[in-house]
Structures are given as structure tokens and as C-alpha cells.
PDB file of all heavy atoms in Angstrom:
ATOM      1  N   VAL A 827       0.841  -1.198   0.000  1.00 98.00           N
ATOM      2  CA  VAL A 827       0.000   0.000   0.000  1.00 98.00           C
ATOM      3  C   VAL A 827       0.876   1.249   0.000  1.00 98.00           C
ATOM      4  O   VAL A 827       0.646   2.189  -0.780  1.00 98.00           O
ATOM      5  CB  VAL A 827      -0.967   0.005   1.212  1.00 98.00           C
ATOM      6  CG1 VAL A 827      -1.617   1.366   1.390  1.00 98.00           C
ATOM      7  CG2 VAL A 827      -2.011  -1.087   1.062  1.00 98.00           C
ATOM      8  N   GLU A 828       1.890   1.272   0.863  1.00 98.00           N
ATOM      9  CA  GLU A 828       2.781   2.430   0.933  1.00 98.00           C
ATOM     10  C   GLU A 828       3.501   2.660  -0.399  1.00 98.00           C
ATOM     11  O   GLU A 828       3.663   3.800  -0.835  1.00 98.00           O
ATOM     12  CB  GLU A 828       3.795   2.252   2.066  1.00 98.00           C
ATOM     13  CG  GLU A 828       3.174   2.350   3.450  1.00 98.00           C
ATOM     14  CD  GLU A 828       4.167   2.060   4.564  1.00 98.00           C
ATOM     15  OE1 GLU A 828       5.390   2.114   4.323  1.00 98.00           O
ATOM     16  OE2 GLU A 828       3.709   1.790   5.685  1.00 98.00           O
ATOM     17  N   ILE A 829       3.913   1.585  -1.040  1.00 98.00           N
ATOM     18  CA  ILE A 829       4.593   1.703  -2.335  1.00 98.00           C
ATOM     19  C   ILE A 829       3.647   2.276  -3.381  1.00 98.00           C
ATOM     20  O   ILE A 829       4.038   3.143  -4.174  1.00 98.00           O
ATOM     21  CB  ILE A 829       5.167   0.334  -2.770  1.00 98.00           C
ATOM     22  CG1 ILE A 829       6.373  -0.003  -1.899  1.00 98.00           C
ATOM     23  CG2 ILE A 829       5.545   0.332  -4.250  1.00 98.00           C
ATOM     24  CD1 ILE A 829       6.877  -1.433  -2.052  1.00 98.00           C
ATOM     25  N   ARG A 830       2.394   1.823  -3.393  1.00 98.00           N
ATOM     26  CA  ARG A 830       1.417   2.367  -4.353  1.00 98.00           C
ATOM     27  C   ARG A 830       1.222   3.865  -4.135  1.00 98.00           C
ATOM     28  O   ARG A 830       1.153   4.643  -5.082  1.00 98.00           O
ATOM     29  CB  ARG A 830       0.085   1.626  -4.251  1.00 98.00           C
ATOM     30  CG  ARG A 830       0.060   0.308  -4.980  1.00 98.00           C
ATOM     31  CD  ARG A 830      -1.362  -0.233  -5.173  1.00 98.00           C
ATOM     32  NE  ARG A 830      -2.113  -0.383  -3.937  1.00 98.00           N
ATOM     33  CZ  ARG A 830      -2.080  -1.454  -3.153  1.00 98.00           C
ATOM     34  NH1 ARG A 830      -1.315  -2.473  -3.447  1.00 98.00           N
ATOM     35  NH2 ARG A 830      -2.825  -1.499  -2.056  1.00 98.00           N
ATOM     36  N   VAL A 831       1.136   4.271  -2.859  1.00 98.00           N
ATOM     37  CA  VAL A 831       0.962   5.695  -2.533  1.00 98.00           C
ATOM     38  C   VAL A 831       2.167   6.496  -3.032  1.00 98.00           C
ATOM     39  O   VAL A 831       2.016   7.551  -3.644  1.00 98.00           O
ATOM     40  CB  VAL A 831       0.748   5.885  -1.014  1.00 98.00           C
ATOM     41  CG1 VAL A 831       0.863   7.341  -0.615  1.00 98.00           C
ATOM     42  CG2 VAL A 831      -0.601   5.318  -0.587  1.00 98.00           C
ATOM     43  N   ILE A 832       3.361   5.980  -2.770  1.00 98.00           N
ATOM     44  CA  ILE A 832       4.578   6.679  -3.195  1.00 98.00           C
ATOM     45  C   ILE A 832       4.637   6.779  -4.722  1.00 98.00           C
ATOM     46  O   ILE A 832       4.987   7.827  -5.271  1.00 98.00           O
ATOM     47  CB  ILE A 832       5.832   5.974  -2.628  1.00 98.00           C
ATOM     48  CG1 ILE A 832       5.893   6.182  -1.117  1.00 98.00           C
ATOM     49  CG2 ILE A 832       7.100   6.478  -3.302  1.00 98.00           C
ATOM     50  CD1 ILE A 832       6.939   5.325  -0.416  1.00 98.00           C
ATOM     51  N   LYS A 833       4.301   5.691  -5.412  1.00 98.00           N
ATOM     52  CA  LYS A 833       4.317   5.716  -6.883  1.00 98.00           C
ATOM     53  C   LYS A 833       3.326   6.734  -7.425  1.00 98.00           C
ATOM     54  O   LYS A 833       3.625   7.443  -8.388  1.00 98.00           O
ATOM     55  CB  LYS A 833       4.024   4.323  -7.454  1.00 98.00           C
ATOM     56  CG  LYS A 833       5.195   3.374  -7.332  1.00 98.00           C
ATOM     57  CD  LYS A 833       4.871   2.026  -7.949  1.00 98.00           C
ATOM     58  CE  LYS A 833       6.066   1.092  -7.884  1.00 98.00           C
ATOM     59  NZ  LYS A 833       5.782  -0.214  -8.503  1.00 98.00           N
ATOM     60  N   THR A 834       2.164   6.826  -6.801  1.00 98.00           N
ATOM     61  CA  THR A 834       1.165   7.819  -7.224  1.00 98.00           C
ATOM     62  C   THR A 834       1.707   9.227  -7.019  1.00 98.00           C
ATOM     63  O   THR A 834       1.575  10.090  -7.896  1.00 98.00           O
ATOM     64  CB  THR A 834      -0.145   7.633  -6.432  1.00 98.00           C
ATOM     65  OG1 THR A 834      -0.649   6.320  -6.686  1.00 98.00           O
ATOM     66  CG2 THR A 834      -1.186   8.658  -6.834  1.00 98.00           C
ATOM     67  N   LYS A 835       2.336   9.455  -5.863  1.00 98.00           N
ATOM     68  CA  LYS A 835       2.926  10.771  -5.596  1.00 98.00           C
ATOM     69  C   LYS A 835       4.039  11.078  -6.592  1.00 98.00           C
ATOM     70  O   LYS A 835       4.165  12.217  -7.059  1.00 98.00           O
ATOM     71  CB  LYS A 835       3.484  10.836  -4.170  1.00 98.00           C
ATOM     72  CG  LYS A 835       2.417  10.894  -3.108  1.00 98.00           C
ATOM     73  CD  LYS A 835       3.032  10.907  -1.714  1.00 98.00           C
ATOM     74  CE  LYS A 835       1.975  10.935  -0.632  1.00 98.00           C
ATOM     75  NZ  LYS A 835       2.567  10.924   0.728  1.00 98.00           N
ATOM     76  N   MET A 836       4.850  10.074  -6.922  1.00 98.00           N
ATOM     77  CA  MET A 836       5.935  10.275  -7.885  1.00 98.00           C
ATOM     78  C   MET A 836       5.374  10.651  -9.254  1.00 98.00           C
ATOM     79  O   MET A 836       5.910  11.539  -9.923  1.00 98.00           O
ATOM     80  CB  MET A 836       6.795   9.010  -8.004  1.00 98.00           C
ATOM     81  CG  MET A 836       7.728   8.799  -6.827  1.00 98.00           C
ATOM     82  SD  MET A 836       8.660   7.244  -6.888  1.00 98.00           S
ATOM     83  CE  MET A 836       9.483   7.359  -8.458  1.00 98.00           C
ATOM     84  N   GLN A 837       4.295   9.994  -9.668  1.00 98.00           N
ATOM     85  CA  GLN A 837       3.679  10.320 -10.953  1.00 98.00           C
ATOM     86  C   GLN A 837       3.161  11.749 -10.951  1.00 98.00           C
ATOM     87  O   GLN A 837       3.322  12.482 -11.928  1.00 98.00           O
ATOM     88  CB  GLN A 837       2.537   9.336 -11.267  1.00 98.00           C
ATOM     89  CG  GLN A 837       3.019   7.947 -11.597  1.00 98.00           C
ATOM     90  CD  GLN A 837       1.881   6.945 -11.702  1.00 98.00           C
ATOM     91  OE1 GLN A 837       0.768   7.186 -11.243  1.00 98.00           O
ATOM     92  NE2 GLN A 837       2.168   5.801 -12.288  1.00 98.00           N
ATOM     93  N   GLN A 838       2.553  12.153  -9.837  1.00 98.00           N
ATOM     94  CA  GLN A 838       2.043  13.522  -9.728  1.00 98.00           C
ATOM     95  C   GLN A 838       3.192  14.515  -9.748  1.00 98.00           C
ATOM     96  O   GLN A 838       3.122  15.550 -10.413  1.00 98.00           O
ATOM     97  CB  GLN A 838       1.214  13.693  -8.453  1.00 98.00           C
ATOM     98  CG  GLN A 838       0.570  15.060  -8.327  1.00 98.00           C
ATOM     99  CD  GLN A 838      -0.374  15.367  -9.470  1.00 98.00           C
ATOM    100  OE1 GLN A 838      -1.244  14.576  -9.789  1.00 98.00           O
ATOM    101  NE2 GLN A 838      -0.206  16.518 -10.107  1.00 98.00           N
ATOM    102  N   LEU A 839       4.264  14.215  -9.033  1.00 98.00           N
ATOM    103  CA  LEU A 839       5.425  15.108  -9.018  1.00 98.00           C
ATOM    104  C   LEU A 839       6.063  15.199 -10.404  1.00 98.00           C
ATOM    105  O   LEU A 839       6.480  16.280 -10.828  1.00 98.00           O
ATOM    106  CB  LEU A 839       6.458  14.624  -7.998  1.00 98.00           C
ATOM    107  CG  LEU A 839       6.101  14.865  -6.538  1.00 98.00           C
ATOM    108  CD1 LEU A 839       7.087  14.156  -5.624  1.00 98.00           C
ATOM    109  CD2 LEU A 839       6.048  16.348  -6.223  1.00 98.00           C
ATOM    110  N   THR A 840       6.119  14.085 -11.112  1.00 98.00           N
ATOM    111  CA  THR A 840       6.680  14.088 -12.466  1.00 98.00           C
ATOM    112  C   THR A 840       5.840  14.967 -13.374  1.00 98.00           C
ATOM    113  O   THR A 840       6.375  15.761 -14.162  1.00 98.00           O
ATOM    114  CB  THR A 840       6.760  12.655 -13.014  1.00 98.00           C
ATOM    115  OG1 THR A 840       7.611  11.886 -12.152  1.00 98.00           O
ATOM    116  CG2 THR A 840       7.315  12.618 -14.418  1.00 98.00           C
ATOM    117  N   ALA A 841       4.524  14.853 -13.270  1.00 98.00           N
ATOM    118  CA  ALA A 841       3.630  15.687 -14.078  1.00 98.00           C
ATOM    119  C   ALA A 841       3.783  17.159 -13.689  1.00 98.00           C
ATOM    120  O   ALA A 841       3.841  18.038 -14.572  1.00 98.00           O
ATOM    121  CB  ALA A 841       2.181  15.231 -13.906  1.00 98.00           C
ATOM    122  N   ASP A 842       3.852  17.451 -12.394  1.00 98.00           N
ATOM    123  CA  ASP A 842       4.032  18.832 -11.933  1.00 98.00           C
ATOM    124  C   ASP A 842       5.355  19.404 -12.435  1.00 98.00           C
ATOM    125  O   ASP A 842       5.421  20.554 -12.866  1.00 98.00           O
ATOM    126  CB  ASP A 842       3.986  18.909 -10.405  1.00 98.00           C
ATOM    127  CG  ASP A 842       2.598  18.654  -9.831  1.00 98.00           C
ATOM    128  OD1 ASP A 842       1.624  18.644 -10.608  1.00 98.00           O
ATOM    129  OD2 ASP A 842       2.493  18.465  -8.600  1.00 98.00           O
ATOM    130  N   LEU A 843       6.410  18.599 -12.379  1.00 98.00           N
ATOM    131  CA  LEU A 843       7.720  19.036 -12.842  1.00 98.00           C
ATOM    132  C   LEU A 843       7.680  19.376 -14.333  1.00 98.00           C
ATOM    133  O   LEU A 843       8.175  20.429 -14.753  1.00 98.00           O
ATOM    134  CB  LEU A 843       8.774  17.956 -12.576  1.00 98.00           C
ATOM    135  CG  LEU A 843      10.184  18.237 -13.087  1.00 98.00           C
ATOM    136  CD1 LEU A 843      10.753  19.492 -12.433  1.00 98.00           C
ATOM    137  CD2 LEU A 843      11.081  17.044 -12.846  1.00 98.00           C
ATOM    138  N   ALA A 844       7.068  18.516 -15.126  1.00 98.00           N
ATOM    139  CA  ALA A 844       6.973  18.764 -16.564  1.00 98.00           C
ATOM    140  C   ALA A 844       6.193  20.046 -16.835  1.00 98.00           C
ATOM    141  O   ALA A 844       6.578  20.853 -17.704  1.00 98.00           O
ATOM    142  CB  ALA A 844       6.311  17.575 -17.262  1.00 98.00           C
ATOM    143  N   SER A 845       5.124  20.259 -16.088  1.00 98.00           N
ATOM    144  CA  SER A 845       4.314  21.468 -16.251  1.00 98.00           C
ATOM    145  C   SER A 845       5.120  22.715 -15.910  1.00 98.00           C
ATOM    146  O   SER A 845       5.095  23.710 -16.641  1.00 98.00           O
ATOM    147  CB  SER A 845       3.072  21.373 -15.370  1.00 98.00           C
ATOM    148  OG  SER A 845       2.353  22.580 -15.389  1.00 98.00           O
ATOM    149  N   LYS A 846       5.839  22.667 -14.789  1.00 98.00           N
ATOM    150  CA  LYS A 846       6.636  23.828 -14.363  1.00 98.00           C
ATOM    151  C   LYS A 846       7.778  24.106 -15.344  1.00 98.00           C
ATOM    152  O   LYS A 846       8.070  25.266 -15.648  1.00 98.00           O
ATOM    153  CB  LYS A 846       7.214  23.611 -12.958  1.00 98.00           C
ATOM    154  CG  LYS A 846       6.171  23.450 -11.870  1.00 98.00           C
ATOM    155  CD  LYS A 846       5.338  24.684 -11.701  1.00 98.00           C
ATOM    156  CE  LYS A 846       4.334  24.483 -10.566  1.00 98.00           C
ATOM    157  NZ  LYS A 846       3.378  25.550 -10.449  1.00 98.00           N
ATOM    158  N   GLU A 847       8.402  23.055 -15.851  1.00 98.00           N
ATOM    159  CA  GLU A 847       9.475  23.247 -16.827  1.00 98.00           C
ATOM    160  C   GLU A 847       8.938  23.876 -18.104  1.00 98.00           C
ATOM    161  O   GLU A 847       9.567  24.773 -18.669  1.00 98.00           O
ATOM    162  CB  GLU A 847      10.165  21.914 -17.138  1.00 98.00           C
ATOM    163  CG  GLU A 847      11.053  21.426 -16.021  1.00 98.00           C
ATOM    164  CD  GLU A 847      11.669  20.065 -16.259  1.00 98.00           C
ATOM    165  OE1 GLU A 847      11.085  19.255 -17.018  1.00 98.00           O
ATOM    166  OE2 GLU A 847      12.725  19.800 -15.687  1.00 98.00           O
ATOM    167  N   SER A 848       7.775  23.431 -18.537  1.00 98.00           N
ATOM    168  CA  SER A 848       7.155  24.008 -19.727  1.00 98.00           C
ATOM    169  C   SER A 848       6.833  25.479 -19.504  1.00 98.00           C
ATOM    170  O   SER A 848       7.086  26.326 -20.375  1.00 98.00           O
ATOM    171  CB  SER A 848       5.876  23.227 -20.061  1.00 98.00           C
ATOM    172  OG  SER A 848       5.194  23.836 -21.131  1.00 98.00           O
ATOM    173  N   HIS A 849       6.281  25.787 -18.350  1.00 98.00           N
ATOM    174  CA  HIS A 849       5.946  27.171 -18.026  1.00 98.00           C
ATOM    175  C   HIS A 849       7.213  28.026 -17.981  1.00 98.00           C
ATOM    176  O   HIS A 849       7.238  29.159 -18.473  1.00 98.00           O
ATOM    177  CB  HIS A 849       5.203  27.221 -16.688  1.00 98.00           C
ATOM    178  CG  HIS A 849       4.623  28.563 -16.373  1.00 98.00           C
ATOM    179  ND1 HIS A 849       4.278  28.932 -15.113  1.00 98.00           N
ATOM    180  CD2 HIS A 849       4.350  29.647 -17.144  1.00 98.00           C
ATOM    181  CE1 HIS A 849       3.814  30.169 -15.123  1.00 98.00           C
ATOM    182  NE2 HIS A 849       3.860  30.624 -16.348  1.00 98.00           N
ATOM    183  N   LEU A 850       8.288  27.481 -17.387  1.00 98.00           N
ATOM    184  CA  LEU A 850       9.558  28.189 -17.321  1.00 98.00           C
ATOM    185  C   LEU A 850      10.079  28.501 -18.728  1.00 98.00           C
ATOM    186  O   LEU A 850      10.537  29.622 -18.985  1.00 98.00           O
ATOM    187  CB  LEU A 850      10.593  27.372 -16.543  1.00 98.00           C
ATOM    188  CG  LEU A 850      12.001  27.961 -16.485  1.00 98.00           C
ATOM    189  CD1 LEU A 850      11.996  29.324 -15.788  1.00 98.00           C
ATOM    190  CD2 LEU A 850      12.955  26.997 -15.793  1.00 98.00           C
ATOM    191  N   HIS A 851      10.002  27.545 -19.633  1.00 98.00           N
ATOM    192  CA  HIS A 851      10.475  27.777 -21.004  1.00 98.00           C
ATOM    193  C   HIS A 851       9.665  28.888 -21.679  1.00 98.00           C
ATOM    194  O   HIS A 851      10.222  29.729 -22.396  1.00 98.00           O
ATOM    195  CB  HIS A 851      10.406  26.489 -21.831  1.00 98.00           C
ATOM    196  CG  HIS A 851      11.405  25.453 -21.399  1.00 98.00           C
ATOM    197  ND1 HIS A 851      12.753  25.686 -21.308  1.00 98.00           N
ATOM    198  CD2 HIS A 851      11.233  24.154 -21.029  1.00 98.00           C
ATOM    199  CE1 HIS A 851      13.379  24.599 -20.907  1.00 98.00           C
ATOM    200  NE2 HIS A 851      12.472  23.654 -20.715  1.00 98.00           N
ATOM    201  N   LYS A 852       8.359  28.908 -21.437  1.00 98.00           N
ATOM    202  CA  LYS A 852       7.521  29.962 -22.015  1.00 98.00           C
ATOM    203  C   LYS A 852       7.899  31.325 -21.447  1.00 98.00           C
ATOM    204  O   LYS A 852       7.985  32.314 -22.183  1.00 98.00           O
ATOM    205  CB  LYS A 852       6.036  29.677 -21.747  1.00 98.00           C
ATOM    206  CG  LYS A 852       5.491  28.521 -22.556  1.00 98.00           C
ATOM    207  CD  LYS A 852       4.045  28.220 -22.193  1.00 98.00           C
ATOM    208  CE  LYS A 852       3.559  26.988 -22.921  1.00 98.00           C
ATOM    209  NZ  LYS A 852       2.205  26.604 -22.505  1.00 98.00           N
ATOM    210  N   VAL A 853       8.120  31.372 -20.125  1.00 98.00           N
ATOM    211  CA  VAL A 853       8.500  32.638 -19.479  1.00 98.00           C
ATOM    212  C   VAL A 853       9.856  33.103 -20.003  1.00 98.00           C
ATOM    213  O   VAL A 853      10.047  34.296 -20.283  1.00 98.00           O
ATOM    214  CB  VAL A 853       8.508  32.474 -17.937  1.00 98.00           C
ATOM    215  CG1 VAL A 853       9.164  33.661 -17.260  1.00 98.00           C
ATOM    216  CG2 VAL A 853       7.080  32.278 -17.421  1.00 98.00           C
ATOM    217  N   GLU A 854      10.794  32.181 -20.149  1.00 98.00           N
ATOM    218  CA  GLU A 854      12.112  32.540 -20.664  1.00 98.00           C
ATOM    219  C   GLU A 854      12.026  33.072 -22.096  1.00 98.00           C
ATOM    220  O   GLU A 854      12.698  34.042 -22.451  1.00 98.00           O
ATOM    221  CB  GLU A 854      13.067  31.346 -20.595  1.00 98.00           C
ATOM    222  CG  GLU A 854      13.508  31.021 -19.184  1.00 98.00           C
ATOM    223  CD  GLU A 854      14.338  29.750 -19.077  1.00 98.00           C
ATOM    224  OE1 GLU A 854      14.239  28.877 -19.969  1.00 98.00           O
ATOM    225  OE2 GLU A 854      15.084  29.632 -18.094  1.00 98.00           O
ATOM    226  N   ALA A 855      11.192  32.432 -22.910  1.00 98.00           N
ATOM    227  CA  ALA A 855      11.023  32.887 -24.290  1.00 98.00           C
ATOM    228  C   ALA A 855      10.399  34.279 -24.320  1.00 98.00           C
ATOM    229  O   ALA A 855      10.827  35.151 -25.094  1.00 98.00           O
ATOM    230  CB  ALA A 855      10.154  31.894 -25.070  1.00 98.00           C
ATOM    231  N   GLU A 856       9.396  34.506 -23.483  1.00 98.00           N
ATOM    232  CA  GLU A 856       8.755  35.823 -23.426  1.00 98.00           C
ATOM    233  C   GLU A 856       9.746  36.870 -22.920  1.00 98.00           C
ATOM    234  O   GLU A 856       9.795  37.996 -23.429  1.00 98.00           O
ATOM    235  CB  GLU A 856       7.520  35.771 -22.520  1.00 98.00           C
ATOM    236  CG  GLU A 856       6.757  37.079 -22.498  1.00 98.00           C
ATOM    237  CD  GLU A 856       5.500  37.019 -21.624  1.00 98.00           C
ATOM    238  OE1 GLU A 856       5.106  35.918 -21.187  1.00 98.00           O
ATOM    239  OE2 GLU A 856       4.935  38.093 -21.375  1.00 98.00           O
ATOM    240  N   LEU A 857      10.555  36.515 -21.939  1.00 98.00           N
ATOM    241  CA  LEU A 857      11.564  37.425 -21.406  1.00 98.00           C
ATOM    242  C   LEU A 857      12.553  37.826 -22.498  1.00 98.00           C
ATOM    243  O   LEU A 857      12.869  39.011 -22.666  1.00 98.00           O
ATOM    244  CB  LEU A 857      12.294  36.765 -20.238  1.00 98.00           C
ATOM    245  CG  LEU A 857      13.451  37.540 -19.608  1.00 98.00           C
ATOM    246  CD1 LEU A 857      12.961  38.872 -19.037  1.00 98.00           C
ATOM    247  CD2 LEU A 857      14.127  36.707 -18.543  1.00 98.00           C
TER     248      LEU A 857
END
């Protein structure tokens, strides 16, 4: 159960990271 919870959190963090990196690239391009 703990491993499933951690894997779910890791997937969410991976998605959040990709989103933030994409946003950063857009901000850098606009800058």
C-alpha cells in the first residue's frame, strides 16, 4: 500500500515538474 501511494505521488510530481518546466520555457522565451 505504501509503495502504491509513493508511486502515485511520484507520478504527480513528475507531471508537476513537466508542467513547471514548460511554463519556465515559455517565461524565458517571453523574457
Side-chain angles (χ1 to χ4, degrees):
V827 168
E828 290 175 18
I829 288 169
R830 280 195 304 274
V831 168
I832 290 169
K833 285 182 177 181
T834 300
K835 288 178 181 179
M836 284 176 56
Q837 289 172 343
Q838 184 60 51
L839 286 171
T840 300
D842 290 348
L843 176 61
S845 173
K846 298 297 182 188
E847 286 176 334
S848 175
H849 189 200
L850 176 61
H851 291 305
K852 288 176 185 175
V853 168
E854 287 174 337
E856 184 178 350
L857 176 61

